Amino acid sequence: MNGLVKHWLLLGLLSLLLVGMGATACGGDDDDDAGTDGDTDSDSDTDSDTDADSDTDSDSDADTDSDTDSDSDGDESCPGCARFEVPFTEWETSQQFAIYMEPTDLTGTTITFRVMGHMTDAGGVQAWAQIGDTGDDNAYASTSYGWTNFTDITDWTDIVIDIDEETAASDTFDPTVVESVIIQLAAGANNEEGTMTLANPTVVYLDSITIVDASGNDIIGPWMFDSDADALTLGNYQPVDGSAIGHLTE
């Protein structure tokens, strides 16, 4: 009996040892799982960094859009246009812009100035054809100047001169020796003060000048200003300081 008891006691101890070792092994697995969880936390941090990067990209895009809007606000668009700028500060002042030519017979022609205001208020546009120094009382005679308010050229507008009509209405203008066509930006009269203001600068676009006969054929020109505005000259008769001729390609 004593031998049998010893045998069972040994078996019991062996079982206890095996159970203890199994528990230790299970505890090691739990630690490994915890480590995996730690890796998962690290991945979570990485996701957080990714979110931060996303925010940076968003901010960058927002800044870019803002700059584009700002640039767009200052842009002028008039592909192939001459650009007149006159810094008006006084009433009853004006600035001429001219195209000069050899004495040319414009009998039976129509002159068209195609204009549009970009920054305007008080004042208006005038246009005419003029002869040169004939050495007599008719020197520098011209067609009538006409008048078109700046407020009437907020879209493309044709200012038209019928040479035959102007000749019939004048005692001095000789259409056979025209030496210049002129467009003038004028500040307007003092009586406009208080109801309108002078735009400084006043900016007007000139798309083209054409001179055609009754059949629509070009007699001289046309001046389309597609690539430059070199044909135009700042007039020197009582000029407004700071006036300029520019050119727009877009």
Side-chain angles (χ1 to χ4, degrees):
M1 292 292 291
N2 289 339
L4 184 59
V5 171
K6 288 180 179 180
H7 176 73
W8 284 108
L9 287 173
L10 287 172
L11 286 176
L13 289 172
L14 183 59
S15 297
L16 289 173
L17 286 172
L18 289 175
V19 171
M21 291 178 63
T24 303
C26 289
D29 289 342
D30 287 343
D31 289 343
D32 288 343
D33 289 343
T36 301
D37 292 342
D39 291 343
T40 302
D41 292 341
S42 175
D43 292 342
S44 175
D45 292 342
T46 301
D47 292 341
S48 175
D49 292 341
T50 302
D51 292 341
D53 291 342
S54 175
D55 291 342
T56 301
D57 292 342
S58 175
D59 292 342
S60 176
D61 292 342
D63 291 342
T64 302
D65 292 341
S66 175
D67 293 341
T68 301
D69 292 342
S70 176
D71 293 341
S72 176
D73 290 342
D75 282 348
E76 295 184 43
S77 179
C78 183
C81 291
R83 179 186 186 276
F84 299 146
E85 179 174 325
V86 182
F88 285 124
T89 58
E90 296 181 18
W91 298 95
E92 297 184 340
T93 56
S94 60
Q95 177 64 55
Q96 298 176 6
F97 305 87
I99 289 182
Y100 296 103
M101 62 190 78
E102 293 299 317
T104 303
D105 186 355
L106 297 187
T107 302
T109 65
T110 299
I111 306 174
T112 303
F113 301 80
R114 188 163 178 76
V115 299
M116 180 172 68
H118 174 65
M119 293 174 61
T120 60
D121 198 343
V125 182
Q126 298 175 291
W128 63 90
Q130 184 169 301
I131 66 176
D133 185 359
T134 57
D136 55 25
D137 291 342
N138 296 336
Y140 305 110
S142 70
T143 61
S144 60
Y145 293 174
W147 179 272
T148 304
N149 289 323
F150 286 142
T151 53
D152 294 328
I153 61 167
T154 55
D155 205 346
W156 286 113
T157 303
D158 290 340
I159 298 176
V160 179
I161 301 172
D162 186 313
I163 292 296
D164 285 354
E165 288 184 4
E166 292 291 333
T167 302
S170 174
D171 295 328
T172 58
F173 176 70
D174 182 354
T176 66
V177 287
V178 174
E179 292 189 20
S180 61
V181 289
I182 298 170
I183 184 169
Q184 175 171 273
L185 306 189
N190 283 330
N191 60 11
E192 292 184 67
E193 193 166 9
T195 59
M196 301 185 75
T197 58
L198 295 174
N200 183 6
T202 290
V203 176
V204 172
Y205 299 151
L206 175 64
D207 178 68
S208 60
I209 301 174
T210 60
I211 304 176
V212 300
D213 63 17
S215 299
N217 300 311
D218 293 317
I219 299 304
I220 187 172
W223 295 273
M224 307 305 291
F225 312 112
D226 290 335
S227 58
D228 59 60
D230 294 346
L232 289 159
T233 301
L234 274 173
N236 57 14
Y237 178 73
Q238 297 180 346
V240 176
D241 289 342
S243 297
I245 300 171
H247 180 259
L248 297 173
T249 57
E250 298 180 353

